[in-house]
Amino acid sequence: MLGANLSRMVLIALVPLLYWLHALDLVTLLVIACSIGIASVLFDVSWMSYVPTLVREPRDYVEAGAKMGVSSSAADVAGPGLAGVLVGALTAPVALVANAFSYLVSVISLLLIRTPEPRPGPAAAKRRMLPELRDGLRWVLRNPILRALALVGFCCNFSMITVWTMFLLYGTNDLRLGSTTLGTIFATASVGGLIGATISRKVIQRFRIGTVYLVAQSALLLGPALIVLATGPRPVMVGMFVLSFFTTYLGLGVANVIIVSLRQTSTPQSMMGRMTAVFRTLLFGGGALGGLSAGLLSGALGPKGALTVAAIGSAAVVIGLAVSPVTRLHGLPPATPEPVAETANGRAAG
């Protein structure tokens, strides 16, 4: 995590520096953006694997997930607005310097953590990347809870990115909505996510975790239907759009806390990084395919027709969600112990 954030700090600071030196071009910018993306993935995989080191009791995973969700959603709410203020007041290069400084704050915060992290023991055999990738994928697919979370998560990311992309085309080209109106509509998504993360802990404490997961994910998957059903005067339509994005990301804010907590309790620490990498690959893959599908569908059917197809497909996923083993859970399952290795003479070794 320290290495990833130091890398992001330096890479983001390079953009304004190269700009002021008149050495910034599109190829350089693309290389920097790709490198930042790699560092971001490494950080995401690491922090999700690191949380169980700080939160030793599985019963506290929901609280930890809720607090992390609130932090992330608050940044999503404040970030775009703050970026706009900084760019308007100080210009874009100076705003990027401030962004780079935020990673320095993160590095200092990480250095202040005093909980000792146990070092990995020596590997019994030479570690190879492809077998470890297969181990992570096998672990996720063989566990019914993780398998269901991964498949539904793929569908949800596919739906959200598809709808977001097509709505931008629909709102801009067909409805001629102004940038302020579109920005307000999209901002409600972050607000919904913040509220969802904030209330998630109390909701999970009061109701069965499977029921909460079902309702939250259903809200996410059915939210796009409100865009398609929006008719009438312009203010009514905009209100329906706001409600759609708010509902979708409210459900996401609650569901994410449950998903991360279940992933952590269903995976031993030795497999946590590989499991997280598999999930991130599937989730980012769903988002990438969603963006591609949005372009193809919009080109073939027009933005409104493409949104209708996307909303129907998203709603259909609720059927699979209803039969998921996750929806039958009453609470978090017991933490999965570390797998037991076999020694050469057949005796178990911890």
Side-chain angles (χ1 to χ4, degrees):
M1 288 189 291
L2 288 167
N5 274 359
L6 282 170
S7 299
R8 289 194 281 188
M9 179 183 71
V10 172
L11 288 166
I12 291 174
L14 273 177
V15 175
L17 178 61
L18 293 173
Y19 171 79
W20 286 320
L21 294 174
H22 304 287
L24 184 65
D25 55 33
L26 182 59
V27 173
T28 304
L29 195 59
L30 288 174
V31 171
I32 291 175
C34 181
S35 301
I36 291 172
I38 293 171
S40 298
V41 171
L42 290 174
F43 184 88
D44 287 346
V45 171
S46 298
W47 82 254
M48 291 186 184
S49 305
Y50 184 54
V51 167
T53 300
L54 301 177
V55 185
R56 300 299 179 89
E57 296 296 331
R59 65 173 179 269
D60 295 327
Y61 286 169
V62 169
E63 180 181 357
K67 290 178 177 177
M68 298 294 289
V70 169
S71 174
S72 176
S73 297
D76 288 341
V77 172
L82 181 59
V85 171
L86 288 175
V87 171
L90 303 173
T91 72
V94 178
L96 284 172
V97 172
N99 190 14
F101 179 77
S102 71
Y103 284 101
L104 177 60
V105 174
S106 174
V107 167
I108 294 172
S109 300
L110 290 171
L111 289 172
L112 293 175
I113 297 175
R114 297 303 180 196
T115 303
E117 179 184 4
R119 290 185 176 276
K126 186 176 180 180
R127 303 179 68 170
R128 299 181 183 276
M129 185 174 66
L130 289 179
E132 292 204 358
L133 290 174
R134 287 196 296 268
D135 288 344
L137 184 60
R138 191 180 301 116
W139 180 266
V140 171
L141 295 181
R142 286 183 177 178
N143 184 302
I145 298 296
L146 294 178
R147 183 173 64 246
L149 291 175
L151 293 176
V152 172
F154 175 89
C155 294
C156 288
N157 261 33
F158 182 91
S159 170
M160 287 189 298
I161 300 300
T162 301
V163 171
W164 190 292
T165 304
M166 291 189 299
F167 177 77
L168 186 59
L169 295 172
Y170 177 53
T172 303
N173 298 332
D174 292 14
L175 300 181
R176 304 294 180 186
L177 297 177
S179 57
T180 302
T181 302
L182 287 171
T184 301
I185 293 170
F186 288 145
T188 61
S190 298
V191 174
L194 176 60
I195 294 174
T198 303
I199 67 174
S200 60
R201 183 185 171 195
K202 291 188 178 298
V203 172
I204 292 168
Q205 287 175 340
R206 184 167 183 179
F207 302 100
R208 290 174 58 250
I209 196 169
T211 302
V212 177
Y213 173 78
L214 175 62
V215 173
Q217 290 285 59
S218 295
L220 188 160
L221 292 166
L222 296 175
L226 295 174
I227 298 176
V228 178
L229 296 174
T231 56
R234 179 64 61 92
V236 175
M237 294 184 69
V238 171
M240 292 283 282
F241 299 152
V242 168
L243 182 60
S244 171
F245 282 97
F246 180 84
T247 301
T248 297
Y249 284 82
L250 176 68
L252 178 65
V254 175
N256 265 350
V257 174
I258 297 173
I259 292 166
V260 172
S261 301
L262 287 173
R263 283 161 50 180
Q264 290 167 342
T265 57
S266 301
T267 307
Q269 188 63 31
S270 61
M271 291 292 298
M272 197 72 70
R274 280 169 280 183
M275 176 277 297
T276 304
V278 170
F279 267 85
R280 302 306 282 180
T281 300
L282 288 172
L283 296 180
F284 286 153
L289 290 175
L292 176 62
S293 299
L296 294 175
L297 284 172
S298 296
L301 305 174
K304 181 64 181 292
L307 276 169
T308 302
V309 172
I312 293 172
S314 182
V317 179
V318 177
I319 299 173
L321 180 66
V323 300
S324 164
V326 182
T327 61
R328 297 192 291 272
L329 292 174
H330 289 268
L332 287 178
T336 302
E338 290 289 340
V340 177
E342 293 292 328
T343 60
N345 59 9
R347 291 179 297 177

Coordinates of all heavy atoms in Angstrom, one line a residue, residues 151-207:
L151 N -20.2 -13.7 -9.4 CA -21.1 -13.7 -10.6 C -22.1 -12.5 -10.5 O -22.2 -11.8 -11.5 CB -21.8 -15.0 -10.7 CG -20.9 -16.2 -11.0 CD1 -21.8 -17.5 -11.0 CD2 -20.2 -16.1 -12.3
V152 N -22.7 -12.3 -9.4 CA -23.6 -11.2 -9.3 C -22.9 -9.9 -9.4 O -23.4 -8.9 -10.0 CB -24.5 -11.3 -8.0 CG1 -25.3 -10.0 -7.8 CG2 -25.4 -12.5 -8.0
G153 N -21.7 -9.8 -8.7 CA -20.9 -8.6 -8.8 C -20.5 -8.2 -10.2 O -20.5 -7.1 -10.6
F154 N -20.2 -9.2 -11.0 CA -19.8 -9.0 -12.4 C -21.0 -8.4 -13.1 O -20.9 -7.4 -13.9 CB -19.4 -10.3 -13.1 CG -19.2 -10.2 -14.6 CD1 -18.0 -9.9 -15.1 CD2 -20.3 -10.5 -15.5 CE1 -17.7 -9.8 -16.4 CE2 -20.1 -10.4 -16.8 CZ -18.8 -10.0 -17.3
C155 N -22.2 -9.0 -12.9 CA -23.4 -8.5 -13.6 C -23.8 -7.1 -13.1 O -24.2 -6.2 -13.9 CB -24.6 -9.4 -13.3 SG -24.4 -11.0 -14.0
C156 N -23.6 -6.8 -11.8 CA -23.9 -5.4 -11.3 C -23.0 -4.4 -11.9 O -23.4 -3.3 -12.3 CB -23.8 -5.4 -9.8 SG -25.2 -6.3 -9.0
N157 N -21.7 -4.7 -11.9 CA -20.8 -3.7 -12.5 C -21.0 -3.5 -14.0 O -21.0 -2.4 -14.5 CB -19.3 -4.2 -12.3 CG -18.7 -3.5 -11.1 OD1 -19.3 -3.2 -10.2 ND2 -17.4 -3.3 -11.2
F158 N -21.3 -4.6 -14.7 CA -21.7 -4.5 -16.1 C -22.9 -3.6 -16.3 O -22.9 -2.7 -17.2 CB -22.0 -5.9 -16.7 CG -22.4 -5.9 -18.1 CD1 -21.4 -6.1 -19.1 CD2 -23.7 -5.8 -18.5 CE1 -21.7 -6.1 -20.4 CE2 -24.0 -5.8 -19.9 CZ -23.0 -6.0 -20.8
S159 N -23.9 -3.8 -15.4 CA -25.1 -3.0 -15.5 C -24.9 -1.5 -15.2 O -25.3 -0.6 -16.0 CB -26.2 -3.5 -14.5 OG -27.3 -2.6 -14.4
M160 N -24.1 -1.2 -14.2 CA -23.9 0.2 -13.7 C -23.1 1.0 -14.8 O -23.5 2.1 -15.1 CB -23.2 0.2 -12.4 CG -24.1 -0.2 -11.2 SD -23.3 0.1 -9.6 CE -21.9 -0.9 -9.7
I161 N -22.0 0.4 -15.3 CA -21.2 1.1 -16.3 C -22.0 1.3 -17.6 O -21.9 2.3 -18.2 CB -19.9 0.4 -16.5 CG1 -19.1 0.3 -15.2 CG2 -19.1 1.1 -17.6 CD1 -18.8 1.6 -14.6
T162 N -22.7 0.2 -18.0 CA -23.5 0.3 -19.2 C -24.5 1.5 -19.1 O -24.7 2.3 -20.0 CB -24.2 -1.0 -19.5 OG1 -23.3 -2.1 -19.6 CG2 -25.1 -0.9 -20.8
V163 N -25.3 1.5 -18.0 CA -26.3 2.5 -17.8 C -25.7 3.9 -17.7 O -26.2 4.8 -18.3 CB -27.2 2.1 -16.6 CG1 -28.1 3.3 -16.2 CG2 -28.0 0.8 -16.8
W164 N -24.7 4.0 -17.0 CA -24.0 5.3 -16.8 C -23.6 5.9 -18.1 O -23.9 7.0 -18.4 CB -22.8 5.2 -15.8 CG -22.2 6.5 -15.4 CD1 -21.6 7.4 -16.1 CD2 -22.3 7.0 -14.0 NE1 -21.2 8.4 -15.4 CE2 -21.6 8.2 -14.1 CE3 -22.8 6.6 -12.8 CZ2 -21.4 9.0 -13.0 CZ3 -22.6 7.3 -11.7 CH2 -21.9 8.6 -11.8
T165 N -23.0 5.0 -18.9 CA -22.4 5.5 -20.2 C -23.6 5.9 -21.2 O -23.6 6.9 -21.8 CB -21.6 4.4 -20.9 OG1 -20.5 4.0 -20.0 CG2 -21.0 4.9 -22.2
M166 N -24.6 5.0 -21.2 CA -25.7 5.3 -22.2 C -26.6 6.4 -21.7 O -27.1 7.2 -22.5 CB -26.6 4.0 -22.3 CG -25.8 2.9 -23.1 SD -26.8 1.5 -23.5 CE -27.3 0.9 -21.9
F167 N -26.7 6.6 -20.4 CA -27.5 7.7 -19.9 C -26.8 9.0 -20.3 O -27.5 10.0 -20.6 CB -27.7 7.6 -18.4 CG -28.5 8.8 -17.9 CD1 -29.9 8.9 -18.1 CD2 -27.8 9.9 -17.2 CE1 -30.5 10.1 -17.6 CE2 -28.5 11.0 -16.8 CZ -29.9 11.1 -16.9
L168 N -25.5 9.1 -20.2 CA -24.8 10.3 -20.6 C -25.1 10.6 -22.0 O -25.3 11.8 -22.4 CB -23.3 10.1 -20.4 CG -22.4 11.3 -20.6 CD1 -22.8 12.4 -19.6 CD2 -20.9 10.9 -20.4
L169 N -25.1 9.6 -22.9 CA -25.4 9.9 -24.3 C -26.9 10.3 -24.5 O -27.2 11.2 -25.2 CB -25.2 8.6 -25.1 CG -23.7 8.2 -25.3 CD1 -23.7 6.8 -25.9 CD2 -22.9 9.2 -26.0
Y170 N -27.8 9.6 -23.8 CA -29.2 9.9 -23.8 C -29.5 11.3 -23.3 O -30.2 12.1 -24.0 CB -30.0 8.8 -23.0 CG -31.4 9.0 -22.9 CD1 -32.2 9.2 -24.0 CD2 -32.1 9.1 -21.7 CE1 -33.6 9.4 -23.9 CE2 -33.4 9.2 -21.6 CZ -34.2 9.4 -22.7 OH -35.6 9.6 -22.6
G171 N -28.9 11.6 -22.2 CA -29.2 12.9 -21.6 C -28.6 14.1 -22.4 O -29.2 15.2 -22.5
T172 N -27.5 13.9 -23.0 CA -26.8 14.9 -23.8 C -27.4 15.1 -25.1 O -27.7 16.2 -25.6 CB -25.3 14.6 -23.9 OG1 -24.7 14.5 -22.6 CG2 -24.6 15.7 -24.6
N173 N -27.5 14.0 -25.9 CA -27.9 14.1 -27.3 C -29.4 14.1 -27.5 O -29.9 14.9 -28.3 CB -27.4 12.9 -28.1 CG -25.8 12.9 -28.0 OD1 -25.2 13.9 -27.9 ND2 -25.2 11.7 -28.1
D174 N -30.2 13.3 -26.7 CA -31.6 13.2 -27.0 C -32.4 14.2 -26.1 O -33.3 14.9 -26.7 CB -32.1 11.8 -26.6 CG -31.6 10.8 -27.6 OD1 -30.7 11.1 -28.3 OD2 -32.2 9.6 -27.6
L175 N -32.1 14.4 -24.9 CA -32.8 15.3 -24.0 C -32.2 16.7 -23.9 O -32.9 17.6 -23.4 CB -33.0 14.7 -22.6 CG -33.6 13.3 -22.5 CD1 -33.7 12.9 -21.0 CD2 -35.0 13.4 -23.1
R176 N -31.0 16.9 -24.4 CA -30.3 18.1 -24.3 C -30.2 18.7 -22.9 O -30.4 19.9 -22.7 CB -31.1 19.2 -25.2 CG -31.2 18.7 -26.7 CD -29.9 18.6 -27.4 NE -30.0 18.2 -28.8 CZ -29.0 17.9 -29.6 NH1 -27.8 18.0 -29.1 NH2 -29.2 17.5 -30.8
L177 N -29.9 17.8 -22.0 CA -29.8 18.3 -20.6 C -28.4 19.0 -20.4 O -27.4 18.6 -21.0 CB -29.8 17.1 -19.6 CG -31.1 16.3 -19.5 CD1 -30.9 15.1 -18.6 CD2 -32.2 17.1 -19.1
G178 N -28.4 20.1 -19.7 CA -27.2 20.8 -19.5 C -26.2 20.1 -18.6 O -26.5 19.2 -17.9
S179 N -25.0 20.6 -18.6 CA -23.9 20.0 -17.8 C -24.2 20.1 -16.3 O -23.9 19.1 -15.6 CB -22.6 20.6 -18.2 OG -22.6 22.0 -17.9
T180 N -24.8 21.2 -15.9 CA -25.1 21.3 -14.5 C -26.2 20.3 -14.1 O -26.1 19.7 -13.0 CB -25.6 22.7 -14.2 OG1 -24.7 23.7 -14.6 CG2 -26.0 22.9 -12.7
T181 N -27.2 20.1 -14.9 CA -28.2 19.1 -14.6 C -27.7 17.7 -14.5 O -27.9 16.9 -13.6 CB -29.4 19.2 -15.6 OG1 -29.9 20.5 -15.6 CG2 -30.5 18.2 -15.3
L182 N -26.8 17.4 -15.5 CA -26.2 16.0 -15.6 C -25.3 15.8 -14.4 O -25.3 14.8 -13.7 CB -25.4 15.8 -16.9 CG -26.2 15.7 -18.1 CD1 -25.3 15.7 -19.4 CD2 -27.0 14.3 -18.1
G183 N -24.5 16.9 -14.0 CA -23.7 16.8 -12.8 C -24.4 16.6 -11.6 O -24.0 15.8 -10.7
T184 N -25.6 17.2 -11.4 CA -26.4 17.0 -10.3 C -27.0 15.6 -10.2 O -27.0 15.0 -9.1 CB -27.6 18.1 -10.3 OG1 -27.0 19.4 -10.3 CG2 -28.4 17.9 -9.0
I185 N -27.4 15.1 -11.3 CA -28.0 13.8 -11.4 C -26.9 12.8 -10.9 O -27.1 11.9 -10.1 CB -28.5 13.4 -12.8 CG1 -29.7 14.3 -13.1 CG2 -28.9 11.9 -12.9 CD1 -30.2 14.2 -14.5
F186 N -25.7 12.9 -11.5 CA -24.6 12.0 -11.2 C -24.2 12.1 -9.7 O -23.7 11.2 -9.1 CB -23.4 12.1 -12.1 CG -23.7 11.6 -13.5 CD1 -23.2 12.3 -14.6 CD2 -24.5 10.5 -13.7 CE1 -23.4 11.8 -15.9 CE2 -24.7 10.1 -15.0 CZ -24.2 10.7 -16.1
A187 N -24.2 13.3 -9.2 CA -23.8 13.6 -7.8 C -24.7 12.8 -6.8 O -24.3 12.4 -5.7 CB -23.8 15.1 -7.5
T188 N -26.0 12.7 -7.2 CA -26.9 11.9 -6.3 C -26.5 10.5 -6.1 O -26.8 9.9 -5.1 CB -28.3 12.0 -6.9 OG1 -28.4 11.3 -8.1 CG2 -28.9 13.4 -7.0
A189 N -25.7 9.9 -7.1 CA -25.2 8.6 -7.0 C -24.3 8.5 -5.8 O -24.4 7.6 -5.0 CB -24.5 8.2 -8.3
S190 N -23.3 9.4 -5.7 CA -22.4 9.4 -4.6 C -23.1 9.7 -3.3 O -22.7 9.0 -2.3 CB -21.3 10.5 -4.8 OG -20.6 10.3 -6.0
V191 N -24.1 10.5 -3.3 CA -24.8 10.8 -2.0 C -25.5 9.5 -1.6 O -25.5 9.1 -0.4 CB -25.8 11.9 -2.2 CG1 -26.7 12.1 -0.9 CG2 -25.1 13.2 -2.5
G192 N -26.1 8.8 -2.5 CA -26.8 7.5 -2.2 C -25.8 6.5 -1.7 O -26.1 5.8 -0.7
G193 N -24.7 6.4 -2.3 CA -23.6 5.5 -1.8 C -23.2 5.8 -0.4 O -23.0 4.9 0.5
L194 N -23.1 7.1 -0.1 CA -22.6 7.5 1.3 C -23.7 7.2 2.3 O -23.4 6.7 3.4 CB -22.4 9.1 1.3 CG -22.1 9.7 2.6 CD1 -20.8 9.1 3.2 CD2 -21.9 11.2 2.5
I195 N -25.0 7.5 2.0 CA -26.0 7.1 2.9 C -26.1 5.6 3.1 O -26.3 5.1 4.2 CB -27.4 7.7 2.4 CG1 -27.4 9.2 2.4 CG2 -28.6 7.2 3.2 CD1 -28.6 9.8 1.8
G196 N -26.0 4.8 2.0 CA -26.0 3.4 2.1 C -25.0 2.8 3.0 O -25.2 2.0 3.9
A197 N -23.7 3.3 2.9 CA -22.6 2.9 3.7 C -22.9 3.3 5.2 O -22.5 2.5 6.1 CB -21.3 3.4 3.2
T198 N -23.4 4.5 5.4 CA -23.7 5.0 6.7 C -24.7 4.1 7.5 O -24.5 3.8 8.7 CB -24.1 6.4 6.7 OG1 -23.1 7.2 6.0 CG2 -24.3 7.0 8.1
I199 N -25.8 3.7 6.8 CA -26.8 3.0 7.5 C -26.6 1.5 7.5 O -27.3 0.7 8.1 CB -28.2 3.3 6.8 CG1 -28.3 2.7 5.4 CG2 -28.5 4.8 6.9 CD1 -29.6 2.9 4.8
S200 N -25.6 1.0 6.7 CA -25.5 -0.4 6.5 C -25.3 -1.2 7.8 O -25.9 -2.3 8.0 CB -24.3 -0.7 5.6 OG -23.1 -0.2 6.2
R201 N -24.5 -0.7 8.7 CA -24.2 -1.5 10.0 C -25.5 -1.7 10.8 O -25.8 -2.8 11.2 CB -23.2 -0.7 10.8 CG -22.8 -1.5 12.0 CD -21.9 -0.6 12.9 NE -21.6 -1.2 14.2 CZ -21.1 -0.6 15.2 NH1 -20.7 0.7 15.1 NH2 -20.9 -1.2 16.3
K202 N -26.3 -0.6 10.9 CA -27.5 -0.8 11.7 C -28.5 -1.6 11.1 O -29.3 -2.4 11.7 CB -28.1 0.6 12.0 CG -27.2 1.5 13.0 CD -27.9 2.7 13.4 CE -27.1 3.5 14.4 NZ -26.9 2.8 15.6
V203 N -28.6 -1.5 9.7 CA -29.6 -2.4 9.0 C -29.2 -3.8 9.1 O -30.0 -4.7 9.3 CB -29.6 -1.9 7.5 CG1 -30.5 -2.9 6.7 CG2 -30.2 -0.5 7.4
I204 N -27.9 -4.1 9.0 CA -27.4 -5.5 9.1 C -27.6 -6.1 10.5 O -27.9 -7.3 10.6 CB -25.9 -5.6 8.6 CG1 -25.8 -5.3 7.2 CG2 -25.4 -7.0 8.9 CD1 -24.4 -5.0 6.7
Q205 N -27.5 -5.2 11.5 CA -27.7 -5.7 12.9 C -29.2 -6.0 13.1 O -29.5 -6.9 13.9 CB -27.3 -4.6 13.8 CG -25.7 -4.5 14.0 CD -25.3 -3.3 14.9 OE1 -26.1 -2.4 15.1 NE2 -24.1 -3.4 15.4
R206 N -30.1 -5.4 12.4 CA -31.5 -5.5 12.7 C -32.1 -6.6 11.9 O -33.1 -7.3 12.3 CB -32.2 -4.2 12.4 CG -33.7 -4.2 12.7 CD -34.3 -2.8 12.7 NE -35.7 -2.9 13.1 CZ -36.5 -1.8 13.2 NH1 -36.0 -0.6 13.0 NH2 -37.7 -1.9 13.6
F207 N -31.7 -6.9 10.6 CA -32.3 -7.8 9.8 C -31.3 -8.9 9.4 O -30.1 -8.8 9.5 CB -32.8 -7.1 8.5 CG -33.8 -6.1 8.8 CD1 -33.4 -4.7 8.7 CD2 -35.1 -6.4 9.1 CE1 -34.4 -3.7 9.0 CE2 -36.1 -5.4 9.3 CZ -35.7 -4.0 9.3

